[in-house]
Amino acid sequence: MNATVIVFPGSNRDRDMIAALTAIGGKPPRVVWHQSDALPPSDLIVVPGGFSYGDYLRSGAIAARSPIMQKVRERAEAGVPVLGVCNGFQILTEAGLLPGVLMRNASLRFVCREVKLSVENTDSVFTSGYRPGAVIRCPVAHHDGNYFTDDETLARIEGEGQVAFRYAQGTNPNGSRNDIAGVFNDRRTVLGLMPHPENLIENAHGGIDGRPLFEALLKAA
Amino acid sequence: MSFDNHIEITPQLVADHGLKSDEYLRILDLLGRTPTYTELGIFSAMWNEHCSYKSSKKWLRTLHTTGPRVIQGPGENAGVVDIGDGKAVVFKMESHNHPSFIEPYQGAATGVGGILRDVFTMGARPIAAMNALRFGAPEHEKTRHLVSGVVAGVGGYGNSFGVPTVGGEVEFDARYNGNILVNAFAAGLVDTDKIFYSKAEGVGLPVVYLGAKTGRDGVGGATMASAEFGDDIDEKRPTVQVGDPFTEKRLLEACLELMATGAVIAIQDMGAAGLTCSAVEMGAKGDLGIELNLDAVPVRETAMTPYEMMLSESQERMLMVLHPEKEAAARAVFEKWELDFATVGKTTDDLRFRVLWQGKEVANLPIKDLGDKAPEYDRPWSPARKQPALRPDDVPQMDIADALLRLIGGPSLSSRRWVYEQYDTLIQGNSVQRPGGDAGVVRVEGHPTKALAFTSDVTPRYCEADPVEGGKQAVAEAWRNLTATGALPLAATDNLNFGNPERPEIMGQLVGAIQGIGEACRALDFPIVSGNVSLYNETNGKGILPTPTIGGVGLLEDWNGMARIGFAAEDEAVILIGGRRDGGGHLGQSLYLRDLFDRREGTPPQVDLAHERKAGDFVRALIGDNIATAVHDLSDGGLAVGLAEMAMASGIGARINQLDGLDPLPWFFGEDQGRYVITIRRSDVDRFFDELLPPTALFAPWIGVTGGTALTLGEARSIPVAELREAHEGWFPRFMGA
């Protein structure tokens, strides 16, 4: 799999993502610095977690407007799978590649803990490795993960099967509407999620529930 | 604007700079003339307690600081210890107490930023952080505000920077009402052949300023941190720095990239006393002079005076001496990361610290006297008064189960989940034990099996009752917590927090604690490789509890075999390792007395270092041989609390016997040292008692069996583990109102 990881100043889970892609994909992804105006041919583009530009403005707002994101948008339109995790999810919503916004957690505090996720739609290159209706473990670590959209958009994404993951069994850590933890674009080729599947891929992490996501992408590539 | 560098140096101005009159006379003597205003500022920055260690140096020299694995002991930005395979761990703990009380979020955040910088200045990538936090009484009006701000600040900085926080302490005591403690620890990994130091070498080489711009924040911070607080505390807010973890993250990446180019000769981060301290340290250590041209310093405010530039504590800044031929390559790295890069001076051979501004020399001082030859005091001290021992017939009674529930559901021993869930504990993907156990454990990236264990410990109430025993206990408990994971304790860092050293009884606490720490470190082969001293932790003449925090680091050869505290399976034997044959049960200075009866009485438990070592080495061997299935050290709250924590960690209960003829209260709540609870499989019981235990001559009674969903302590009523958890998890969120 030819994966590419986009790195902004302030990205900090880029190394975790690179480690996961390397361990599961069998070769290290290419790493593209935000100032680059060239994006290599890729089977998968990943926008990793972190605090791009410090997130002193709205999380992801500045990164979404950097030149490299124009290239990412072009690839996404061409159908290349794009995965955004945590800050990457925030960046993809700010870039308009995914519906909704991520507000400050309802508790107003950063939260790092393990949650349960139900896999809501397995019909995508990201989620096809999970059983329909599966409930998996996954850690979260964020300050701004409170997913919000207006009623109309919410009805649409719910109706169109764009909800990829939902916090399950009362583990919603941030106040997200409808317990939404991850959403697709309308073609289900772009996925953004707040939890960190890259931090649950080997026994040292205490579980491997994040692996099927990467394995499915590898299979599709 | 006008800046007068030659204003009259009045006694009031000298006092405002925290300099004593005899220190000022020494300055006059050294210079043979009156100092300029800028020079006075530089002396105040270098000779304050925080930077000079003038009250503690004499005693710190007595510590045990060497060992076969120690690559760098105290005196550098951080200590360095060899972990084999060409790798070393770099670590230090440092206080940010005064700023955190004045402005909790920024004070704590910049404390974390400062310690991370100390670690990556040496070329190491930070892999773990911890925080030892001490607040006033829960009911004090400021406590919740301070807890909320400090925890958010620690998280805000560390989470954004991208280092997992894997351990720490949170404690409450009214003695910290006016003076909280924020002790930040960081550790990093480095290749042993790529360690960077602050000692400058070579004359005429460029001194380069890197990182963020200089502003007026933090001017005089180190001097502020070297004085007691009074009622004017809120006026000191401008002396607190503002943190920018985003810039620090870029600075980390840029520094590591720059170091890889081979351009760096010496590097020093700008922490306390900023540009002054970093330049003087690099020069003084290398026996070189330094000339700085302040017109080249990147500033973010206009009309900054040389005095302000020299004393600013703006964060996320570094000073380096570079190979001149690689300056262009170095500049390119910093431009990529959009950080400032400015050549601000050069090394000289005249041992002077010269500062130029707008074409004029505003300071010209002997660099060695500012730095490594700063004043040193042998302050008078009086040994702590010995407390009378607690009489056995003076132990207040309480139902065992009630006492346990109240202890684990109270401020001292309740779960710290509310705190550590605000910290990113798993970033970097290597945290194999996260907060809640005896120590945090982080895998060594790039190695198939190795891991490092981290813990932070001290029991201030013991230290006050007996500073020597308290100092020993802090080291022993850190060593024990590392051992309880199966790690071999390697080395430690000490963060010594005390009151005003000009009072002989406070100085006596410091001297006693250092003596105890020294003894324990020697006996346990656990050298101190870095540290920090924070004195004047007093408000309106009331000192804190003496708090010498010990940050310990241990090495696991194979993390797959490490131990955890949770009972591992049903029907396993519960064994108390290292107990006293007479049952022990030391309740003097115990949490049982303090938290349940508000009595701070008696002598603290004695630490028998030979016993500690024997018990610890035995437990470590049992973990290594896969005999011990769960391990927990016993400390605050004794056996009852230790067992409850083991049950809560896994959900498996246990039935525990009290030894025949022993009084149950001291048996379950005594805080005797050098003890662990372990569990072993039934199939290993015979081998344990027949073969493994006898050669050690340790006392290790079989005290119970795991199983079920309740914890039963002797004759006391059974407590469902769910009820234990409810009490344990409930206090903190309730206290914080969320």
Side-chain angles (χ1 to χ4, degrees), chain B residues 373-570:
Chain B
K373 290 191 184 145
E376 185 180 327
Y377 294 132
D378 182 2
R379 294 198 187 276
W381 59 279
S382 53
R385 232 174 353 157
K386 292 277 181 199
Q387 302 288 320
L390 183 72
R391 292 200 327 270
D393 61 359
D394 188 21
V395 173
Q397 299 296 305
M398 187 183 278
D399 175 78
I400 301 281
D402 289 348
L404 175 58
L405 283 166
R406 280 185 53 186
L407 278 175
I408 62 164
S412 300
L413 294 173
S414 58
S415 165
R416 271 47 184 151
R417 185 181 304 277
W418 187 92
V419 174
Y420 64 71
E421 282 194 346
Q422 294 186 58
Y423 305 151
D424 196 330
T425 51
L426 51 90
I427 189 162
Q428 300 188 10
N430 293 316
S431 309
V432 288
Q433 271 203 53
R434 285 151 66 186
D438 278 330
V441 181
V442 174
R443 287 188 298 180
V444 174
E445 202 164 292
H447 191 281
T449 61
K450 275 186 182 171
L452 291 163
F454 302 99
T455 183
S456 147
D457 298 283
V458 61
T459 312
R461 63 182 188 280
Y462 294 172
C463 295
E464 182 162 72
D466 185 336
V468 179
E469 285 303 311
K472 277 157 69 176
Q473 194 274 342
V475 173
E477 190 177 343
W479 189 86
R480 214 184 299 142
N481 275 323
L482 299 171
T483 293
T485 67
L488 178 70
L490 294 179
T493 178
D494 60 347
N495 196 153
L496 309 176
N497 309 272
F498 291 82
N500 180 349
E502 294 163 42
R503 294 202 282 135
E505 67 276 21
I506 300 288
M507 198 58 211
Q509 292 175 342
L510 178 65
V511 170
I514 292 176
Q515 183 195 328
I517 290 168
E519 282 175 28
C521 288
R522 262 182 207 92
L524 299 172
D525 279 334
F526 195 42
I528 300 285
V529 296
S530 58
N532 164 244
V533 180
S534 172
L535 303 177
Y536 298 94
N537 289 290
E538 301 207 3
T539 299
N540 294 333
K542 270 165 75 180
I544 58 162
L545 288 175
T547 311
T549 314
I550 301 294
V553 177
L555 177 65
L556 280 146
E557 287 298 331
D558 185 354
W559 61 266
N560 288 291
M562 74 185 168
R564 297 177 186 273
I565 71 167
F567 287 137
E570 305 251 334

Side-chain angles (χ1 to χ4, degrees), chain A residues 9-13 15-16 33-35 51 53-54 56 109-113 139 141 199 202-205, chain B residues 125 159-160 162 244-246 249 336-338 418 421-429 432 443 445 559 738:
Chain A
S11 296
N12 66 19
R13 262 191 170 75
R15 293 164 61 84
D16 302 45
W33 181 237
H34 72 117
Q35 283 164 334
F51 289 73
Y53 298 93
Y56 295 135
R109 294 191 295 272
F110 188 94
V111 58
C112 176
R113 67 167 76 124
N199 283 132
E202 52 179 318
N203 291 331
H205 296 158
Chain B
R125 180 175 282 278
N159 298 345
S160 175
D244 176 3
F246 168 58
K249 166 74 170 156
K336 172 190 161 187
W337 289 97
E338 298 172 43
W418 187 92
E421 282 194 346
Q422 294 186 58
Y423 305 151
D424 196 330
T425 51
L426 51 90
I427 189 162
Q428 300 188 10
V432 288
R443 287 188 298 180
E445 202 164 292
W559 61 266

Side-chain angles (χ1 to χ4, degrees), chain A residues 43-208:
Chain A
D43 308 316
L44 169 70
I45 297 168
V46 184
V47 187
F51 289 73
S52 53
Y53 298 93
D55 280 347
Y56 295 135
L57 195 59
R58 249 178 12 246
S59 297
I62 296 179
R65 284 152 185 83
S66 69
I68 193 71
M69 284 308 294
Q70 185 52 39
K71 301 282 170 197
V72 173
R73 187 177 289 112
E74 287 165 16
R75 294 294 174 83
E77 279 162 12
V80 174
V82 177
L83 170 67
V85 174
C86 200
N87 194 219
F89 186 14
Q90 294 159 348
I91 293 167
L92 294 180
T93 59
E94 286 286 341
L97 284 168
L98 289 171
V101 294
L102 292 144
M103 306 192 304
R104 190 131 290 194
N105 295 344
S107 68
L108 303 182
R109 294 191 295 272
F110 188 94
V111 58
C112 176
R113 67 167 76 124
E114 188 175 294
V115 297
K116 297 278 172 55
L117 297 177
S118 69
V119 185
E120 296 288 305
N121 187 340
T122 55
D123 185 15
S124 79
V125 289
F126 304 99
T127 52
S128 63
Y130 294 105
R131 276 185 302 102
V135 174
I136 63 169
R137 299 163 48 208
C138 203
V140 295
H142 58 248
H143 205 297
D144 299 336
N146 184 354
Y147 186 77
F148 182 85
T149 65
D150 56 34
D151 292 339
E152 190 188 332
T153 311
L154 190 65
R156 191 181 74 241
I157 64 174
E158 289 283 3
E160 302 286 320
Q162 284 178 247
V163 176
F165 298 100
R166 225 185 279 279
Y167 301 111
Q169 299 171 8
T171 61
N172 183 341
N174 52 35
S176 289
R177 288 198 81 177
N178 289 13
D179 297 325
I180 289 172
V183 295
F184 297 118
N185 64 345
D186 52 3
R187 293 153 67 195
R188 298 198 290 280
T189 54
V190 177
L191 169 66
L193 75 167
M194 288 312 298
H196 290 284
E198 75 275 24
N199 283 132
L200 203 67
I201 62 145
E202 52 179 318
N203 291 331
H205 296 158
I208 56 167

Side-chain angles (χ1 to χ4, degrees), chain B residues 357-381:
Chain B
W357 177 71
Q358 296 188 350
K360 293 188 297 271
E361 188 177 84
V362 291
N364 184 338
L365 300 170
I367 202 162
K368 298 290 274 186
D369 297 284
L370 285 173
D372 50 0
K373 290 191 184 145
E376 185 180 327
Y377 294 132
D378 182 2
R379 294 198 187 276
W381 59 279

Side-chain angles (χ1 to χ4, degrees), chain B residues 484 563-577 619 622-623 625-633 642-643 646-647 650 652-656 676-685 688-689 692 701-707 711:
Chain B
R564 297 177 186 273
I565 71 167
F567 287 137
E570 305 251 334
D571 199 34
E572 294 194 329
V574 180
I575 293 170
L576 172 66
I577 304 267
V619 167
L622 292 172
I623 297 169
D625 292 341
N626 193 25
I627 303 283
T629 56
V631 179
H632 192 15
D633 100 297
L643 291 163
M646 297 179 84
S650 72
I652 297 172
R655 176 171 288 278
I656 306 298
Y676 303 76
V677 171
I678 69 164
T679 53
I680 63 175
R681 295 172 204 89
R682 288 272 189 180
S683 54
D684 286 326
V685 166
F688 178 85
F689 286 105
L692 301 173
W702 180 357
I703 60 169
V705 177
T706 63
L711 179 67

